[in-house]
Each structure stands twice: as C-alpha cells, then as structure tokens.
Amino acid sequence: MLASELDINVSNIADFELNLFDTQAASLGGIHSEFVHASRLDNLATCFLAVQALLDHAIEGKLENDEDISLIAMFDHEEVGSASATGAGSPIMGDAVERISAALNAGESNPDLYSAAIHKSFVLSVDQAHAIHPNYASKHEKGHAPKMNDGMVIKRNSNQRYATNSITGLIIRECAKKVKLPPVQEFVVRNDCGCGSTIGPVISAATGMRAIDMGCPSLSMHSIRETMGVSDLTHGLTLFKAFFEHFRDVDSSIQG
C-alpha cells in the first residue's frame, strides 16, 4: 500500500514508521455549541494557542518593545516521559538560551551572561488539565475542581509533578489581571490519587529556569475524541498574549 501511494517499488522502501490517528474534523457540541470535540486536543490545542499568540504579538508590533526574547517550543514525546533527543528532557532548551545569549554578545559565549539569562527566563508549560466530571466529582478536591469555559488552570503538586510554585503562580495571575481575564482556576489532585506530570519539572530541573504548569480544562483526555470549552480557547489565547506583553513588568515588580 505504501509503495502504491508513493508510486515506487516495494524494494525501494528501507523501513517505515506507522502511526494511526483520527482523521475526523473537530466539531462543536452542547446546547449552545459551547464545547469543542476533537482528537489530540492534548496537546494540539495549546500548541495552536502559543503559535497564534506569538504571531499576534509580532503582527501587532509589540516585538519592537520587547526587553526579552519571546519564543515558543513544542516538544515530542511528552506523553512517554520526554526522555528523547527531541523531547523536553533533551538539551534543546538550555542550548537555545546559550546560543541566543551568545548571539546577543557578538557571538561570544559568556558563562555569566548565560547564567543571567537563565535566571531571568520563565517557562510557561501549558497543555490540558482535567476538568471536573459530573459523574466523578469525588476525584477532585472540593476547592480545586476546574470547570470548562471558566478559564485556564494552574496545576500544582507538592511532590513536584508540576513545576508551579507560589512565585510562578503569582506571575501568571497578575498577567491575567492585566487583561481582565477571569480568575485563573487552580487544580490539585487529591492526596490519595495518583498524579500525572508534564514538561515543566523536566525543563526546570535540566536548566534551572523558573516554570509553571497550566492547561485548558478538558474531559476525556487521551481518548480518541477529547472535549474542551470554546471559551477556554479565547481565554488561553488572551493569557498567552498577556504573558508575552506583560511578563517582564510583572516579574520586575516582585520584591523579596
């Protein structure tokens, strides 16, 4: 079949990787079309938001006033541990900061400049978050049960499965306030339940960068069709743009 599709001889195929995936288009659902049903929302949803936010940031002319380097990174293999040459556990992020800092120093590497760049850097690690399910509400802590269409979610875990801490959480909440977004929701897994993880702790441990783990609330995560709120796409895009625009001012205002 592959040879036929490529119009080549079978003998010309040395090897191949085969992945099966859902090809149905995304659709809207709910009484008011308030939900998005699609495959791979985790994590194509926030990959899209990050790309669109950076494009908007540039198109609106805000790059000209940036004190920082605004960039996005989308890694492979997040669902299987990130320990690969193209995953978040690779040297890619640290190497990028080192090469950028050298480029801004006439091409000369400087350990002190690199250390300063790491210290001032911030990683917004965003994928999806588990929204409360009406049939399984007991799986969430009562005060930490994210709802779809109520805004983005900050994820916390005392065992460092997520990279969020009091300072990184404050920075994002203040960025959200700058653009009058609804209060950012909070997610904590119950103490007697297992907790997943994502790339925030991986990057932070490998580079020393500050990080926060966030997500858009969703249901049916990792199933062939996932569900999230339409409004959360808008909230997410607005928050990403606010981060690009206001992070430095917010970070510089924190004392202590």
Side-chain angles (χ1 to χ4, degrees):
M1 184 175 68
L2 289 175
S4 176
E5 286 291 323
L6 297 171
D7 193 24
I8 60 175
N9 295 324
V10 173
S11 60
N12 290 332
I13 299 176
D15 204 346
F16 62 89
E17 294 183 9
L18 180 63
N19 295 280
L20 304 179
F21 57 92
D22 182 14
T23 60
Q24 297 180 77
S27 61
L28 298 178
I31 296 175
H32 303 291
S33 295
E34 68 270 36
F35 301 120
V36 178
H37 307 297
S39 60
R40 303 181 298 284
L41 288 174
D42 180 36
N43 184 38
L44 294 184
T46 50
C47 286
F48 163 74
L49 295 178
V51 172
Q52 189 62 54
L54 186 59
L55 284 172
D56 290 349
H57 189 66
I59 291 169
E60 293 167 8
K62 294 175 181 176
L63 281 176
E64 299 173 4
N65 299 319
D66 266 0
E67 295 182 31
D68 303 295
I69 301 296
S70 296
L71 63 85
I72 60 175
M74 293 172 284
F75 295 99
D76 293 332
H77 310 132
E78 185 267 346
E79 297 292 355
V80 293
S82 298
S84 69
T86 54
S90 71
I92 290 175
M93 186 65 84
D95 287 352
V97 175
E98 184 174 12
R99 295 179 68 176
I100 290 170
S101 60
L104 296 175
N105 190 42
E108 296 292 329
S109 296
N110 183 312
D112 291 335
L113 181 61
Y114 173 68
S115 296
I118 288 290
H119 177 73
K120 295 183 71 174
S121 295
F122 191 100
V123 177
L124 194 62
S125 165
V126 190
D127 57 3
Q128 298 293 86
H130 291 286
I132 187 169
H133 192 296
N135 293 335
Y136 303 96
S138 61
K139 291 294 185 181
H140 284 77
E141 294 282 5
K142 289 184 179 180
H144 300 86
K147 298 177 182 178
M148 292 188 292
N149 287 315
D150 268 16
M152 298 289 286
V153 180
I154 291 175
K155 299 187 281 190
R156 299 178 184 271
N157 181 259
S158 59
N159 291 326
Q160 303 302 304
R161 302 293 286 171
Y162 299 128
T164 307
N165 59 38
S166 58
I167 299 299
T168 60
L170 171 65
I171 289 171
I172 294 305
R173 291 197 303 272
E174 291 300 310
C175 285
K177 288 179 183 178
K178 291 275 189 183
V179 290
K180 297 180 171 55
L181 279 170
V184 183
Q185 302 186 83
E186 299 271 352
F187 170 71
V188 179
V189 173
R190 273 179 37 177
N191 289 338
D192 59 347
C193 294
C195 180
S197 188
T198 185
I199 66 173
V202 175
I203 295 175
S204 190
T207 65
M209 295 183 199
R210 295 170 294 169
I212 186 172
D213 283 301
M214 300 185 65
C216 297
S218 66
L219 294 177
S220 304
M221 191 184 297
H222 302 153
S223 69
I224 196 167
R225 300 290 282 182
E226 300 172 325
T227 298
M228 67 177 293
V230 171
S231 295
D232 294 325
L233 288 168
T234 303
H235 293 151
L237 180 59
T238 303
L239 182 59
F240 271 71
K241 293 170 67 174
F243 174 73
F244 284 135
E245 183 175 358
H246 298 296
F247 164 71
R248 181 51 57 203
D249 289 340
V250 170
D251 191 40
S252 299
S253 70
I254 297 174
Q255 299 179 1

